[in-house]
Amino acid sequence: MKTLSLLIKPASGLCNMRCDYCFYRAEVANLSNAVQTHGSSSIDDATGSQTYTNELFHPFEQQIMSSEMIELLIRKACENTSESLQIVFQGGEPAVAGLDFFQKFTDMMEKTRRRRLRVSYAFQTNGLLLDEKWAELFLKYHFLIGLSFDGTDSLHDRWRTDTAGKGTASRVLSSWRLLQEKHIDVNLLCVVTRQMAAKPEKSLPISEKYGSGVSAIHPLYRIRQAKTKPENKYLPDA
């Protein structure tokens, strides 16, 4: 085929944040409940990973895409794509896989792809783990970054906390400034909650407030039951 787009979750659902509206929270809760029944666990604040004492659960290393899988994925993608290959990294939080993972991935891609095959990268992140070394990688391979930030410091901190329950707005904006300073292409990703929609003049457009050329707005829906109409959680109260 001429073009191919791949959505890759290199760290499965692992995340170093505990956003209130995240659809992975139920999975984390299920694991926690099972651990209480069958064993014990501890959480790494940096990666969001849980270490379990029971063999029912995979350790952190087994939740990260293996080198063998990277090699197979890249080889198959390059063999079956003739012109353009787009790689999108998502999570959970993809940065939890570690910088070495992405250095290995991009190095292997350069060694494998044919010169005429164009490869582009996108990376959706909460920004907490980004630093100068991450920025160097993004710049070298022209990554497009989607950085999650919910409009204002107070709204963001209300919904998007770390594993200790602390707000993350200041840390996310620090990563935002780093990406801007390094001239890395970055979009702001904003989940529109009911509280935000009630006062849009204060929180939108976030692209103007923080100097972004583009912002992606994601309305938040909550499904009550599978056969009922979805509740539009982002709309303000009447």
Side-chain angles (χ1 to χ4, degrees), residues 10 28 40 87 132 138 167 170 184 187 200 226 230:
V28 173
S40 61
I87 306 292
E132 293 277 348
F138 294 154
S170 62
I184 295 167
N187 299 335

Side-chain angles (χ1 to χ4, degrees), residues 78-123:
C78 291
E79 287 175 354
N80 291 281
T81 314
S82 61
E83 294 184 6
S84 178
L85 174 61
Q86 181 185 43
I87 306 292
V88 181
F89 294 108
Q90 196 186 59
E93 170 53 42
V96 167
L99 181 60
D100 288 347
F101 173 93
F102 293 95
Q103 291 174 329
K104 181 183 299 183
F105 191 103
T106 49
D107 287 346
M108 191 172 297
M109 179 63 76
E110 289 303 297
K111 293 176 182 178
T112 306
R113 73 177 181 91
R114 298 178 300 280
R115 294 302 98 182
R116 66 177 180 275
L117 177 61
R118 300 187 305 275
V119 178
S120 61
Y121 296 101
F123 190 93

